[in-house]
Amino acid sequence: MADMNGKTCIVTGGTSGIGEASARALAQHGADVAIVCRSRERGEATRGRIEAAVGRPCVRLFQADFERLEEVARVGEALARELPRVDVLLNNAGVTMLGRSETPDGYETTFAVNHLAPFLLTHRVLPRLLETPGARVVNVSSGAHRFARLDPDDLHSRRRYSTMRVYGASKLCNILFTNELARRLEGRDLRIWSLHPGAVATRLGANNGGIAKVLLPALALFFKTPEQGAATSIRLCSDPDLDAPNGTYFENEKPAKVSARARDADLARRLWIESERLVGLEPNAVWG
Protein backbone atom coordinates (compact mmCIF):
# COMPACT_ATOMS: atom_id res chain seq x y z
CA MET A 1 0.00 0.00 0.00
CA ALA A 2 1.23 3.48 -0.86
CA ASP A 3 2.41 6.13 1.57
CA MET A 4 -0.64 8.27 2.41
CA ASN A 5 1.14 10.87 4.54
CA GLY A 6 -0.41 14.31 4.21
CA LYS A 7 -3.61 12.99 2.59
CA THR A 8 -7.13 13.23 3.94
CA CYS A 9 -9.69 10.50 3.25
CA ILE A 10 -13.43 10.59 3.93
CA VAL A 11 -14.97 7.20 4.77
CA THR A 12 -18.73 6.82 5.20
CA GLY A 13 -20.02 3.95 7.28
CA GLY A 14 -16.61 3.79 8.91
CA THR A 15 -17.58 2.56 12.37
CA SER A 16 -17.68 -1.16 11.56
CA GLY A 17 -17.00 -3.78 8.91
CA ILE A 18 -15.16 -2.91 5.74
CA GLY A 19 -15.58 0.80 6.44
CA GLU A 20 -13.64 0.61 9.68
CA ALA A 21 -11.09 -1.78 8.16
CA SER A 22 -10.57 0.66 5.27
CA ALA A 23 -10.26 3.67 7.56
CA ARG A 24 -7.78 1.87 9.80
CA ALA A 25 -5.59 0.76 6.88
CA LEU A 26 -5.53 4.25 5.37
CA ALA A 27 -4.60 5.74 8.74
CA GLN A 28 -1.90 3.13 9.30
CA HIS A 29 -0.29 4.28 6.07
CA GLY A 30 -0.25 7.93 7.06
CA ALA A 31 -3.63 9.38 6.06
CA ASP A 32 -5.87 11.49 8.23
CA VAL A 33 -9.37 10.03 8.13
CA ALA A 34 -12.75 11.74 8.40
CA ILE A 35 -15.35 9.15 9.37
CA VAL A 36 -19.01 9.93 8.70
CA CYS A 37 -21.05 8.05 11.29
CA ARG A 38 -24.65 7.81 12.43
CA SER A 39 -23.89 7.19 16.10
CA ARG A 40 -21.53 9.49 17.97
CA GLU A 41 -20.99 6.80 20.61
CA ARG A 42 -19.96 4.18 18.07
CA GLY A 43 -17.89 6.77 16.26
CA GLU A 44 -15.93 7.60 19.40
CA ALA A 45 -15.31 3.89 20.04
CA THR A 46 -14.05 3.45 16.48
CA ARG A 47 -11.80 6.48 16.74
CA GLY A 48 -10.32 5.02 19.92
CA ARG A 49 -9.59 1.67 18.25
CA ILE A 50 -8.02 3.21 15.16
CA GLU A 51 -5.89 5.76 16.97
CA ALA A 52 -4.70 3.10 19.43
CA ALA A 53 -3.64 0.92 16.50
CA VAL A 54 -1.97 3.79 14.66
CA GLY A 55 -0.42 5.54 17.64
CA ARG A 56 -1.39 9.10 16.72
CA PRO A 57 -4.44 11.35 16.51
CA CYS A 58 -5.70 10.79 12.97
CA VAL A 59 -9.50 10.50 13.01
CA ARG A 60 -12.16 13.20 12.86
CA LEU A 61 -15.81 12.34 13.30
CA PHE A 62 -18.70 13.86 11.36
CA GLN A 63 -22.19 12.76 12.34
CA ALA A 64 -25.17 12.31 10.02
CA ASP A 65 -28.15 10.01 9.57
CA PHE A 66 -28.16 8.96 5.91
CA GLU A 67 -31.92 8.44 6.06
CA ARG A 68 -32.28 12.23 6.31
CA LEU A 69 -31.08 14.09 3.24
CA GLU A 70 -30.99 17.38 5.13
CA GLU A 71 -28.33 15.83 7.39
CA VAL A 72 -26.41 14.46 4.41
CA ALA A 73 -26.29 17.94 2.88
CA ARG A 74 -25.22 19.45 6.20
CA VAL A 75 -22.41 16.96 6.78
CA GLY A 76 -21.21 17.32 3.19
CA GLU A 77 -20.95 21.06 3.64
CA ALA A 78 -19.11 20.57 6.96
CA LEU A 79 -16.62 18.18 5.37
CA ALA A 80 -15.96 20.58 2.51
CA ARG A 81 -15.59 23.52 4.87
CA GLU A 82 -13.62 22.02 7.76
CA LEU A 83 -11.15 19.58 6.20
CA PRO A 84 -7.81 21.07 5.12
CA ARG A 85 -7.94 19.05 1.89
CA VAL A 86 -9.85 16.07 0.45
CA ASP A 87 -7.92 13.41 -1.44
CA VAL A 88 -10.38 10.50 -1.27
CA LEU A 89 -14.11 10.07 -0.81
CA LEU A 90 -14.94 6.43 -0.06
CA ASN A 91 -18.72 6.03 -0.28
CA ASN A 92 -19.02 2.86 1.77
CA ALA A 93 -22.13 3.22 3.96
CA GLY A 94 -25.10 1.03 3.11
CA VAL A 95 -28.12 -0.85 4.43
CA THR A 96 -30.34 -3.72 3.46
CA MET A 97 -33.91 -3.95 4.74
CA LEU A 98 -35.95 -7.12 5.18
CA GLY A 99 -39.18 -5.20 4.67
CA ARG A 100 -40.15 -2.01 2.92
CA SER A 101 -39.85 1.20 4.91
CA GLU A 102 -39.59 4.89 4.12
CA THR A 103 -37.25 7.59 5.33
CA PRO A 104 -38.53 10.81 6.92
CA ASP A 105 -38.25 12.33 3.42
CA GLY A 106 -40.78 9.76 2.15
CA TYR A 107 -38.28 7.74 0.09
CA GLU A 108 -37.76 3.98 0.18
CA THR A 109 -35.00 3.40 2.73
CA THR A 110 -32.57 1.19 0.80
CA PHE A 111 -32.64 3.41 -2.29
CA ALA A 112 -32.31 6.56 -0.18
CA VAL A 113 -29.41 5.40 2.00
CA ASN A 114 -27.48 3.41 -0.61
CA HIS A 115 -27.89 5.76 -3.57
CA LEU A 116 -29.40 9.17 -2.84
CA ALA A 117 -27.22 9.83 0.22
CA PRO A 118 -23.85 9.18 -1.50
CA PHE A 119 -25.11 10.98 -4.62
CA LEU A 120 -25.82 14.12 -2.57
CA LEU A 121 -22.72 13.82 -0.37
CA THR A 122 -20.47 13.50 -3.43
CA HIS A 123 -21.97 16.66 -4.92
CA ARG A 124 -21.30 18.58 -1.71
CA VAL A 125 -17.68 17.40 -1.44
CA LEU A 126 -16.78 17.39 -5.14
CA PRO A 127 -15.52 20.99 -5.41
CA ARG A 128 -12.91 20.19 -2.74
CA LEU A 129 -11.90 16.96 -4.46
CA LEU A 130 -11.37 18.85 -7.70
CA GLU A 131 -8.91 21.14 -5.93
CA THR A 132 -6.59 18.17 -5.32
CA PRO A 133 -4.82 16.69 -8.37
CA GLY A 134 -5.42 12.95 -8.62
CA ALA A 135 -8.16 12.86 -5.97
CA ARG A 136 -10.48 9.85 -5.96
CA VAL A 137 -14.16 8.97 -5.59
CA VAL A 138 -14.60 5.29 -4.75
CA ASN A 139 -18.13 3.85 -4.60
CA VAL A 140 -18.78 0.51 -2.89
CA SER A 141 -21.33 -1.38 -4.99
CA SER A 142 -21.98 -5.13 -5.10
CA GLY A 143 -22.09 -8.12 -7.41
CA ALA A 144 -25.80 -8.16 -6.53
CA HIS A 145 -26.23 -5.51 -9.24
CA ARG A 146 -26.00 -8.28 -11.86
CA PHE A 147 -29.40 -9.70 -10.91
CA ALA A 148 -31.10 -6.34 -10.49
CA ARG A 149 -33.70 -4.57 -12.55
CA LEU A 150 -34.18 -0.86 -12.08
CA ASP A 151 -37.58 0.63 -12.85
CA PRO A 152 -37.08 4.39 -13.26
CA ASP A 153 -40.83 4.82 -12.75
CA ASP A 154 -40.80 2.97 -9.42
CA LEU A 155 -37.51 3.89 -7.75
CA HIS A 156 -39.17 3.72 -4.33
CA SER A 157 -40.52 0.18 -4.86
CA ARG A 158 -44.12 1.10 -4.12
CA ARG A 159 -45.48 -1.41 -6.63
CA ARG A 160 -43.54 -4.40 -5.36
CA TYR A 161 -40.80 -5.05 -2.87
CA SER A 162 -38.33 -7.85 -2.24
CA THR A 163 -35.20 -7.46 -0.17
CA MET A 164 -32.62 -8.65 -2.67
CA ARG A 165 -34.29 -7.04 -5.69
CA VAL A 166 -34.30 -3.65 -4.00
CA TYR A 167 -30.80 -4.04 -2.55
CA GLY A 168 -29.45 -5.15 -5.94
CA ALA A 169 -31.14 -2.20 -7.62
CA SER A 170 -29.51 0.22 -5.18
CA LYS A 171 -26.11 -1.30 -5.96
CA LEU A 172 -26.85 -0.99 -9.68
CA CYS A 173 -27.54 2.68 -8.98
CA ASN A 174 -24.05 2.99 -7.45
CA ILE A 175 -22.47 1.83 -10.71
CA LEU A 176 -24.73 3.95 -12.92
CA PHE A 177 -23.89 6.97 -10.75
CA THR A 178 -20.17 6.19 -11.01
CA ASN A 179 -20.37 5.94 -14.79
CA GLU A 180 -22.39 9.12 -15.26
CA LEU A 181 -20.14 11.07 -12.88
CA ALA A 182 -17.14 9.87 -14.89
CA ARG A 183 -18.82 11.00 -18.12
CA ARG A 184 -19.70 14.43 -16.75
CA LEU A 185 -16.18 14.98 -15.42
CA GLU A 186 -14.34 13.68 -18.48
CA GLY A 187 -11.00 15.43 -18.82
CA ARG A 188 -10.83 16.47 -15.17
CA ASP A 189 -8.02 15.22 -12.92
CA LEU A 190 -10.20 13.00 -10.74
CA ARG A 191 -10.30 9.20 -10.45
CA ILE A 192 -13.79 7.67 -10.25
CA TRP A 193 -14.31 3.93 -9.70
CA SER A 194 -16.77 1.43 -8.19
CA LEU A 195 -16.23 -2.00 -6.67
CA HIS A 196 -17.65 -5.21 -5.29
CA PRO A 197 -16.08 -6.06 -1.91
CA GLY A 198 -17.27 -9.66 -1.93
CA ALA A 199 -19.60 -11.30 0.57
CA VAL A 200 -18.36 -9.78 3.81
CA ALA A 201 -19.30 -10.38 7.44
CA THR A 202 -20.55 -6.90 8.40
CA ARG A 203 -23.41 -5.17 10.26
CA LEU A 204 -25.17 -4.42 6.95
CA GLY A 205 -28.51 -5.95 7.97
CA ALA A 206 -28.21 -5.43 11.71
CA ASN A 207 -30.93 -2.75 11.68
CA ASN A 208 -33.58 -5.40 10.91
CA GLY A 209 -34.12 -6.73 14.42
CA GLY A 210 -34.20 -10.23 15.85
CA ILE A 211 -34.11 -12.43 12.76
CA ALA A 212 -31.11 -10.59 11.32
CA LYS A 213 -29.27 -10.89 14.63
CA VAL A 214 -29.73 -14.65 14.47
CA LEU A 215 -28.95 -15.13 10.78
CA LEU A 216 -25.99 -12.79 10.32
CA PRO A 217 -23.57 -14.56 12.72
CA ALA A 218 -24.39 -17.91 11.11
CA LEU A 219 -23.93 -16.60 7.56
CA ALA A 220 -20.71 -14.87 8.58
CA LEU A 221 -19.01 -18.27 8.72
CA PHE A 222 -19.11 -18.32 4.91
CA PHE A 223 -18.12 -14.70 4.33
CA LYS A 224 -14.88 -12.79 3.99
CA THR A 225 -13.57 -10.95 7.01
CA PRO A 226 -13.96 -7.16 6.93
CA GLU A 227 -10.19 -6.88 6.37
CA GLN A 228 -10.38 -9.17 3.35
CA GLY A 229 -13.43 -7.35 2.03
CA ALA A 230 -11.73 -3.97 2.41
CA ALA A 231 -8.75 -4.90 0.23
CA THR A 232 -10.27 -3.62 -3.03
CA SER A 233 -11.50 -0.40 -1.44
CA ILE A 234 -8.06 0.22 0.05
CA ARG A 235 -6.30 -0.34 -3.26
CA LEU A 236 -8.63 1.99 -5.13
CA CYS A 237 -8.16 4.67 -2.47
CA SER A 238 -4.39 4.46 -2.32
CA ASP A 239 -2.54 2.72 -5.17
CA PRO A 240 -0.61 5.43 -7.06
CA ASP A 241 0.04 3.07 -9.99
CA LEU A 242 -3.61 2.24 -10.60
CA ASP A 243 -4.42 3.62 -14.05
CA ALA A 244 -7.81 2.15 -14.91
CA PRO A 245 -10.22 4.31 -16.94
CA ASN A 246 -12.75 6.27 -14.95
CA GLY A 247 -15.93 4.31 -14.38
CA THR A 248 -14.10 0.97 -14.09
CA TYR A 249 -15.72 -1.58 -11.77
CA PHE A 250 -13.45 -3.79 -9.65
CA GLU A 251 -13.69 -7.17 -7.94
CA ASN A 252 -10.86 -8.79 -6.00
CA GLU A 253 -8.68 -5.73 -6.74
CA LYS A 254 -9.00 -6.24 -10.52
CA PRO A 255 -11.25 -4.73 -13.20
CA ALA A 256 -14.37 -6.84 -13.76
CA LYS A 257 -17.34 -6.90 -16.09
CA VAL A 258 -20.67 -5.41 -15.11
CA SER A 259 -24.17 -6.26 -16.27
CA ALA A 260 -25.67 -4.86 -19.46
CA ARG A 261 -27.97 -2.67 -17.36
CA ALA A 262 -24.97 -1.20 -15.54
CA ARG A 263 -23.57 -0.17 -18.94
CA ASP A 264 -26.81 1.53 -20.03
CA ALA A 265 -25.82 5.17 -20.54
CA ASP A 266 -29.41 6.32 -21.09
CA LEU A 267 -30.49 4.68 -17.82
CA ALA A 268 -27.56 6.34 -16.03
CA ARG A 269 -28.54 9.77 -17.35
CA ARG A 270 -32.19 9.24 -16.44
CA LEU A 271 -31.26 8.14 -12.92
CA TRP A 272 -28.98 11.17 -12.51
CA ILE A 273 -31.69 13.63 -13.53
CA GLU A 274 -34.25 12.07 -11.20
CA SER A 275 -31.72 11.89 -8.35
CA GLU A 276 -30.99 15.61 -8.74
CA ARG A 277 -34.70 16.29 -8.39
CA LEU A 278 -35.15 14.03 -5.37
CA VAL A 279 -32.25 15.51 -3.40
CA GLY A 280 -33.05 19.10 -4.37
CA LEU A 281 -30.04 19.92 -6.56
CA GLU A 282 -30.05 22.32 -9.47
CA PRO A 283 -29.95 20.39 -12.77
CA ASN A 284 -26.64 19.95 -14.59
CA ALA A 285 -24.38 21.07 -11.78
CA VAL A 286 -21.03 22.56 -12.77
CA TRP A 287 -18.07 22.08 -10.43
CA GLY A 288 -14.97 24.22 -10.24
Side-chain angles (χ1 to χ4, degrees):
M1 182 173 170
D3 181 3
M4 298 290 285
N5 278 300
K7 296 189 175 183
T8 300
C9 304
I10 299 170
V11 181
T12 70
T15 59
S16 66
I18 61 175
E20 181 173 347
S22 299
R24 183 173 59 251
L26 293 167
Q28 285 173 329
H29 286 80
D32 290 322
V33 181
I35 291 179
V36 181
C37 58
R38 180 173 182 172
S39 163
R40 172 65 63 172
E41 181 180 3
R42 292 186 61 235
E44 293 290 358
T46 301
R47 173 159 59 185
R49 289 192 296 270
I50 292 175
E51 292 187 346
V54 174
R56 63 180 174 90
C58 57
V59 176
R60 292 186 63 179
L61 299 177
F62 291 80
Q63 191 173 5
D65 181 351
F66 272 24
E67 292 187 17
R68 298 174 180 271
L69 291 175
E70 182 180 5
E71 292 194 21
V72 176
R74 175 191 54 75
V75 81
E77 290 164 3
L79 289 161
R81 180 179 63 251
E82 297 179 22
L83 295 177
R85 58 185 286 156
V86 181
D87 296 87
V88 176
L89 171 59
L90 175 57
N91 284 314
N92 167 81
V95 297
T96 182
M97 308 297 294
L98 294 181
R100 188 182 184 279
S101 64
E102 292 187 354
T103 69
D105 298 310
Y107 302 153
E108 190 280 316
T109 302
T110 304
F111 174 70
V113 173
N114 292 2
H115 169 63
L116 291 179
F119 179 86
L120 176 56
L121 185 71
T122 302
H123 275 74
R124 293 298 192 221
V125 176
L126 200 53
R128 295 300 313 281
L129 285 158
L130 289 168
E131 293 173 0
T132 307
R136 303 180 181 202
V137 176
V138 178
N139 294 324
V140 178
S141 179
S142 170
H145 84 273
R146 292 194 175 92
F147 311 104
R149 293 181 181 273
L150 183 67
D151 183 352
D153 297 317
D154 189 29
L155 292 173
H156 303 290
S157 302
R158 294 188 174 99
R159 296 173 188 164
R160 60 189 181 118
Y161 183 97
S162 71
T163 298
M164 289 312 298
R165 185 185 71 81
V166 171
Y167 177 74
S170 75
K171 297 288 99 180
L172 174 59
C173 288
N174 295 153
I175 300 174
L176 293 169
F177 166 48
T178 302
N179 294 346
E180 182 64 6
L181 181 62
R183 186 188 72 81
R184 288 172 179 249
L185 290 175
E186 185 176 2
R188 306 295 292 270
D189 190 6
L190 183 71
R191 310 293 180 262
I192 306 161
W193 299 308
S194 61
L195 69 105
H196 171 46
V200 182
T202 71
R203 297 183 69 257
L204 186 65
N207 51 309
N208 287 289
I211 187 170
K213 292 178 181 178
V214 172
L215 290 175
L216 288 175
L219 292 172
L221 296 173
F222 304 97
F223 291 169
K224 291 181 178 181
T225 66
E227 290 71 24
Q228 292 168 332
T232 302
S233 294
I234 294 165
R235 185 183 179 209
L236 269 57
C237 288
S238 64
D239 185 351
D241 299 321
L242 190 58
D243 195 29
N246 277 354
T248 299
Y249 170 83
F250 288 79
E251 290 185 12
N252 296 317
E253 303 183 53
K254 299 177 181 178
K257 292 183 178 180
V258 296
S259 70
R261 294 184 186 91
R263 299 191 301 272
D264 187 333
D266 289 336
L267 182 60
R269 283 190 287 270
R270 187 172 177 183
L271 175 66
W272 182 285
I273 292 167
E274 180 62 8
S275 299
E276 285 180 326
R277 187 187 71 80
L278 291 170
V279 304
L281 291 174
E282 291 295 325
N284 300 312
V286 177
W287 306 280

